[in-house]
């Protein structure tokens, strides 16, 4: 997966629209996300996770919490847009969480449902693919090969979730790493070698049995001579 662009509006501490050009940042092959406490570093990573999976890591989306910036204008919708390449496909994901907005007529507010959009660039322009939360989630999880929980554990290292991965038992780590690095071909070779080992062991046991059965006869024949 390669990130190209992230747009954030009224999300976390970002009241005004912000855009991050990852292509420009990664021109040297690597970049550092840094800043003082409260600068919004975690919120940038949260926005990436939210765009991909429709939720943010851990307790930051617990009941009663909100992704919306407390400083945003009431009429500005909370929105995250992520442009990325995954599986050789150039995609754009836009998500808006459930949120209140001023009524178009009269006073008070009304609640807008969460919305998601997925588009793909076909070389000439952007083509709409889906507005279904479930379809987009399944598409992204299949392309990345990771669920949200796995993504948070393995990719979002600053979130501290990686420690949980390190504390996981060997079987759990093996399943996750096997999925991340697509070790199916190595597992197939391992299975083939194991089958050949078992077949060789079976042949050795069969020959040992023949030797054990033949030994008394040879010993008896030797005494008779």
């Amino acid at each position: 997966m390669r990130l190209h662009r992230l747009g954030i509006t009224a999300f976390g501490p970002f009241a005004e629209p912000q855009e991050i050009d990852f292509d420009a940042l990664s021109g040297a092959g690597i970049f550092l996300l840094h800043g003082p406490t409260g600068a919004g570093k975690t919120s940038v990573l949260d926005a990436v996770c939210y765009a991909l999976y429709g939720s943010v890591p851990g307790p930051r989306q617990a009941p009663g919490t909100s992704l919306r910036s407390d400083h945003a204008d009431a009429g500005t919708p909370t929105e995250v847009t992520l442009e990325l390449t995954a599986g050789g496909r150039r995609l754009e994901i836009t998500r808006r969480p459930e949120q209140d907005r001023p009524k178009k007529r009269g006073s008070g507010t009304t609640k807008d449902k969460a919305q998601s959009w997925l588009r793909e660039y076909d070389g000439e322009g952007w083509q709409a693919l889906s507005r279904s939360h479930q379809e987009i989630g399944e598409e992204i999880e299949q392309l990345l090969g990771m669920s949200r929980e796995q993504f948070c554990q393995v990719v979002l290292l600053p979130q501290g979730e990686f420690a949980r991965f390190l504390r996981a038992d060997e079987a759990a780590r093996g399943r996750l790493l096997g999925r991340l690095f697509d070790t199916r071909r190595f597992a197939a070779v391992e299975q083939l070698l194991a089958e050949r080992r078992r077949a060789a062991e079976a042949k050795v046991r069969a020959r040992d049995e023949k030797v054990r059965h033949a030994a008394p006869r040879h010993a008896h024949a030797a005494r008779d001579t």
Side-chain angles (χ1 to χ4, degrees), residues 14-55:
F14 304 106
E16 299 296 327
Q18 306 290 330
E19 184 168 305
I20 301 173
D21 186 344
F22 288 109
D23 286 336
L25 291 175
S26 58
I30 189 172
F31 63 89
L32 174 66
L33 182 65
H34 70 97
T37 301
K41 303 183 298 296
T42 297
S43 294
V44 170
L45 300 177
D46 282 352
V48 171
C49 186
Y50 180 70
L52 292 172
Y53 294 100
S55 60

Side-chain angles (χ1 to χ4, degrees), residues 65-106:
T65 62
S66 174
L67 300 177
R68 181 169 175 78
S69 172
D70 294 331
H71 311 289
D73 181 84
T76 302
T78 298
E79 180 178 286
V80 172
T81 298
L82 178 66
E83 187 179 332
L84 71 153
T85 294
R89 299 167 61 188
R90 184 92 170 210
L91 302 171
E92 181 193 75
I93 311 166
T94 300
R95 294 191 190 268
R96 291 183 178 183
E98 182 179 82
Q99 55 193 298
D100 293 325
R101 63 165 175 81
K103 291 182 177 179
K104 294 180 180 179
R105 293 188 179 87

Side-chain angles (χ1 to χ4, degrees), residues 63-222:
T65 62
S66 174
L67 300 177
R68 181 169 175 78
S69 172
D70 294 331
H71 311 289
D73 181 84
T76 302
T78 298
E79 180 178 286
V80 172
T81 298
L82 178 66
E83 187 179 332
L84 71 153
T85 294
R89 299 167 61 188
R90 184 92 170 210
L91 302 171
E92 181 193 75
I93 311 166
T94 300
R95 294 191 190 268
R96 291 183 178 183
E98 182 179 82
Q99 55 193 298
D100 293 325
R101 63 165 175 81
K103 291 182 177 179
K104 294 180 180 179
R105 293 188 179 87
S107 60
T109 61
T110 186
K111 189 176 293 294
D112 282 340
K113 294 182 179 180
Q115 300 180 71
S116 300
W117 296 268
L118 176 64
R119 302 195 302 170
E120 181 171 5
Y121 188 73
D122 62 4
E124 297 181 357
W126 290 98
Q127 305 298 322
L129 295 183
S130 178
R131 293 192 61 174
S132 165
H133 300 305
Q134 181 176 349
E135 288 180 359
I136 295 173
E138 291 172 353
E139 185 79 14
I140 295 303
E141 186 167 331
Q142 182 177 359
L143 284 172
L144 300 188
M146 289 182 284
S147 66
R148 184 193 69 87
E149 290 75 16
Q150 293 167 335
F151 180 84
C152 293
Q153 286 178 4
V154 178
V155 178
L156 298 187
L157 305 186
Q159 307 304 320
E161 297 289 344
F162 192 60
R164 190 171 66 187
F165 165 75
L166 295 177
R167 291 193 297 267
D169 59 51
E170 182 178 351
R173 290 199 304 269
R175 287 193 299 271
L176 176 55
L177 292 175
R179 188 174 181 187
L180 287 176
F181 299 107
D182 193 13
T183 59
R184 288 174 295 181
R185 61 185 182 279
F186 302 111
V189 171
E190 182 181 16
Q191 183 178 355
L192 176 62
L193 293 176
E195 291 173 353
R196 289 183 177 179
R197 174 181 56 79
R198 288 192 292 268
E201 289 174 346
K203 288 181 179 179
V204 170
R205 286 195 298 269
R207 289 172 181 172
D208 287 345
E209 285 297 317
K210 288 182 179 180
V211 170
R212 280 195 293 270
H213 288 306
R217 293 197 299 271
H218 290 303
H220 181 73

